[in-house]
Amino acid sequence: MKNKEIYIGLGVGFAITTLLILIFRKKPMALENIEVEKTWDSKTDDKIKRLHPKLRGIASKFINEVEKKLGIRLRITDGLRTFAEQDRLYAQGRTTAGKIVTKAKGGQSYHNYGLAFDCYLTEGGKVTFKKAINSEIAKVGKDLGLEWGGDWKSFKDMPHFQLSKGKTSDLLALYNGKQTDSEGYVLV
């Protein structure tokens, strides 16, 4: 009889704890509805304008928050890419000269849907490759709901941030099925 009472007590305690967590946990803000802000950099602003509408506000907030919190100015160098541009990058280090910079062919990258961007630190208003995006910078992005390529196990992509929306094969199916908005961005 005592074992049964213990199990009932544990069950009730678990239920109460779960209920309290659900009631008092922080509610995530609707990050995909963040208003687009102007950044310090017109080149970055131009790249942001071409991102998926759900990523634009997050991207501008990320750039501005990194500057505000860490005193670091970032520039977005890559955002939306065509499938042909992605195929050219994929060929690099394989069939054309250069170092391999991506594992994704056209249609297999979040960049192809405007849901990813690459950014670098700047010095004197110019991109520098001397310093990489570090975990402190990445945390700002992750706090805004972005996935950081520096966390990937098999192919670390330190400058890469994306708003994950399932598999790229699913995004490609949406794209091929014309499940897009008036600007041509997939409906996610």
Side-chain angles (χ1 to χ4, degrees), residues 39 41-49 63 74-76:
T39 71
D41 181 42
S42 63
K43 291 179 181 180
T44 292
D45 291 338
D46 289 343
K47 295 289 183 183
I48 288 171
K49 288 176 190 171
I63 297 297
L74 299 175
R75 173 171 290 154
I76 293 178

Side-chain angles (χ1 to χ4, degrees), residues 5-169:
E5 291 170 354
I6 290 171
Y7 287 122
I8 291 171
L10 288 172
V12 169
F14 178 75
I16 291 170
T17 302
T18 302
L19 185 60
L20 290 172
I21 289 170
L22 291 172
I23 291 170
F24 292 108
R25 74 176 176 193
K26 277 186 168 179
K27 303 268 191 280
M29 25 187 251
L31 294 174
E32 294 174 7
N33 297 322
I34 293 175
E35 193 170 320
V36 178
E37 305 168 0
K38 190 170 177 55
T39 71
W40 72 275
D41 181 42
S42 63
K43 291 179 181 180
T44 292
D45 291 338
D46 289 343
K47 295 289 183 183
I48 288 171
K49 288 176 190 171
R50 296 188 62 224
L51 293 174
H52 192 288
K54 291 190 176 191
L55 180 55
R56 292 175 191 159
I58 297 169
S60 66
K61 186 160 187 70
F62 169 68
I63 297 297
N64 289 336
E65 287 292 307
V66 168
E67 182 178 14
K68 181 176 149 189
K69 292 179 179 177
L70 306 175
I72 297 170
R73 287 185 160 180
L74 299 175
R75 173 171 290 154
I76 293 178
T77 58
D78 290 284
L80 178 66
R81 287 187 199 134
T82 66
F83 289 16
E85 288 169 330
Q86 189 68 37
D87 284 335
R88 279 194 293 280
L89 283 176
Y90 181 80
Q92 190 175 313
R94 293 178 176 88
T95 58
T96 63
K99 181 181 159 191
I100 291 177
V101 293
T102 184
K103 289 177 68 175
K105 296 178 182 178
Q108 298 174 345
S109 170
Y110 267 79
H111 284 283
N112 301 142
Y113 307 99
L115 291 166
F117 61 87
D118 296 339
C119 60
Y120 292 88
L121 283 75
T122 62
E123 287 181 355
K126 295 183 180 186
V127 169
T128 179
F129 300 101
K130 296 176 193 168
K131 300 176 188 171
I133 301 294
N134 59 35
S135 59
E136 190 177 23
I137 294 168
K139 183 181 181 327
V140 176
K142 292 194 274 190
D143 287 348
L144 291 169
L146 297 173
E147 180 180 333
W148 178 42
D151 286 334
W152 296 344
K153 302 291 181 232
S154 65
F155 189 83
K156 295 214 180 276
D157 191 354
M158 304 306 273
H160 183 93
F161 290 87
Q162 67 185 35
L163 183 60
S164 294
K165 293 289 181 184
K167 296 178 182 178
T168 54
S169 58

